[in-house]
């Protein structure tokens, strides 16, 4: 593994989110951290997924689309061999809000938290232990 991205998807809504489409564009899913069409992310739960590069001088890039009764969550990340990490996460519903936090302490192994909340709440406004 030369470059890796670990993404934690945090579903802080009352919707079950289902994987509608996913693809690794560059690299491969990390062992045990892949994502498949039809899998679910239960309400008020989290799931880690990760991709990694398998070839020297190549990065990793992937895309995931999760659907619920309140629209779609689209997440795309790209960690090139040289250059800046990019992660875009959007939700098609005005009733949902998406927050992305990136940890780049180790530039070759990026960690990302993507939190989906119901409109009017934010990840920091959720009391600890909820």
């Amino acid at each position: 593994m030369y470059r890796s991205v670990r993404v934690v998807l945090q579903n802080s809504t009352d919707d079950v989110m289902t994987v509608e489409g996913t693809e690794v564009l560059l690299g491969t899913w990390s062992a045990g951290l892949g994502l498949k069409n039809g899998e679910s992310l239960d309400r008020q739960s989290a799931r880690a997924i990760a991709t990694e590069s398998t070839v020297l001088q190549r990065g990793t890039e992937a895309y995931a689309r999760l659907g619920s009764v309140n629209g779609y969550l689209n997440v795309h990340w790209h960690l090139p061999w040289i250059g800046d990490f990019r992660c875009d996460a959007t939700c098609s519903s005005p009733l949902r809000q998406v927050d992305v936090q990136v940890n780049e302490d180790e530039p070759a192994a990026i960690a990302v938290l993507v939190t989906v909340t119901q409109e009017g709440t934010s990840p920091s406004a959720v009391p600890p232990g909820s």
Side-chain angles (χ1 to χ4, degrees):
M1 168 179 60
Y2 301 99
R3 298 281 187 269
S4 67
V5 177
R6 181 180 176 97
V7 177
V8 175
L9 299 173
Q10 170 68 45
N11 179 5
S12 294
T13 72
D14 290 329
D15 300 337
V16 173
M17 303 180 90
T18 303
V19 179
E20 302 285 339
T22 183
E23 191 70 43
V24 176
L25 306 169
L26 188 58
T28 187
W29 290 113
S30 299
L33 294 172
L35 193 62
K36 294 180 182 167
N37 288 345
E39 291 181 334
S40 294
L41 179 60
D42 290 334
R43 60 193 260 330
Q44 302 296 326
S45 70
R47 163 117 189 247
I49 57 177
T51 59
E52 59 190 53
S53 63
T54 55
V55 177
L56 188 63
Q57 298 185 350
R58 285 248 161 120
T60 185
E61 181 176 10
Y63 171 84
R65 178 180 174 102
L66 290 87
S68 75
V69 295
N70 283 297
Y72 292 96
L73 169 67
N74 297 296
V75 183
H76 170 253
W77 62 93
H78 182 216
L79 177 60
W81 183 257
I82 297 173
D84 295 330
F85 172 73
R86 291 189 333 263
C87 180
D88 300 308
T90 59
C91 194
S92 65
S93 172
L95 302 174
R96 300 292 175 254
Q97 181 176 319
V98 180
D99 180 61
V100 178
Q101 296 177 27
V102 179
N103 181 332
E104 295 181 276
D105 290 347
E106 175 54 54
I110 304 291
V112 181
L113 174 61
V114 176
T115 305
V116 181
T117 56
Q118 295 175 177
E119 185 61 36
T121 63
S122 69
S124 58
V126 177
S130 330

